[in-house]
Amino acid sequence: MEVLAGIVAASAPLVYATIGETISEKAGVINLSLDGSILLSAMTGFAAAFVTDSVIIGFLAALAASAVIAVILAFSSLELRHNQIAVGFVLFLFARQLALFLGNSYVGVNGPKVPSWDVPLLSEIPFVGTVFFQHNISVYGSYLVIFLAYWFIYRTRPGLVLQGVGERPEAAFARGVPVNRLRYLYTIVGGAMVGMAGAAVSLDQIAGWREGLTTNVGWIALAFVIFGGWHPYRVALACYLYLSLIHI
């Protein structure tokens, strides 16, 4: 049970990243900066939490840092008409180097960590309680975003519009849908989710900062989004299966 609980906890950053990228790509924007954004948000989140002694501010700072990268990507691709792949890769390099430069003074520093919190009643259920409900808010949030993303995309009218914006933008525009405005919105939302992934590493799993802290997490997340067919349940399952194989 402890192994399974560890897999669930370790999967949280990947879940946040894959769900965030799923939302962005559903809107028709590929965020190739993912790996750099996660690293930058991990550094920003830890630095903000260390300075303020607040993990909440740390998470908010991480979300903001990654969202800014997403805004730059959206502006470059939607307004300036630059190639998304090229811009994303440049932003990956920029975010990575910026994280290493700004985070140099925080290497090896001990900072605040998300406190553990057993869910009342649910944590007492044999097996299920130990595996799923004896973690912290960061891990529980990863469960929530899976179900919310699925519900929003496939069970609400705005979710159907989101799919139309990504799959048939011309048809959506003809029906009066503000395609570019929604692409901005969902790219930023997806970017913020990626920021959650970085903060979940530096403020939960590791509770610190160092070079290479989140190396390849973004590239793995990009692969899982494709592997899971841009479906929240399937991409989340890919995250859990991947961490299961690592722990075996």
Side-chain angles (χ1 to χ4, degrees), residues 87-112:
V87 172
F89 190 72
V90 170
L91 287 174
F92 151 66
L93 295 174
F94 169 75
R96 181 179 183 277
Q97 294 305 316
L98 184 63
L100 297 179
F101 174 73
L102 296 178
N104 187 56
S105 60
Y106 295 100
V107 175
V109 175
N110 293 321

Side-chain angles (χ1 to χ4, degrees), residues 147-160 163 233:
F147 297 114
L148 286 179
Y150 171 80
W151 172 79
F152 178 80
I153 294 172
Y154 296 105
R155 293 290 184 268
T156 68
R157 182 177 179 81
L160 295 177
Q163 295 181 69
Y233 285 167

Side-chain angles (χ1 to χ4, degrees), residues 1 119-134:
M1 287 192 296
V119 179
L121 300 180
L122 294 179
S123 62
E124 299 174 8
I125 301 174
F127 184 77
V128 173
T130 302
V131 174
F132 294 104
F133 300 110
Q134 294 183 8

Side-chain angles (χ1 to χ4, degrees), residues 26-28 160-169 172 177-179 182-183:
K26 278 289 186 182
L160 295 177
V161 173
L162 165 61
Q163 295 181 69
V165 166
E167 297 172 10
R168 297 288 187 272
V177 175
V179 173
L182 290 180
R183 283 184 166 176

Side-chain angles (χ1 to χ4, degrees), residues 56-120:
I56 295 176
I57 293 178
F59 270 91
L60 292 176
L63 265 66
S66 188
V68 168
I69 298 296
V71 168
I72 297 173
L73 172 66
F75 178 78
S76 299
S77 60
L78 300 178
E79 303 295 340
L80 302 182
R81 304 290 183 179
H82 293 322
N83 183 280
Q84 291 182 12
I85 304 300
V87 172
F89 190 72
V90 170
L91 287 174
F92 151 66
L93 295 174
F94 169 75
R96 181 179 183 277
Q97 294 305 316
L98 184 63
L100 297 179
F101 174 73
L102 296 178
N104 187 56
S105 60
Y106 295 100
V107 175
V109 175
N110 293 321
K113 182 178 181 179
V114 179
S116 60
W117 180 68
D118 295 352
V119 179

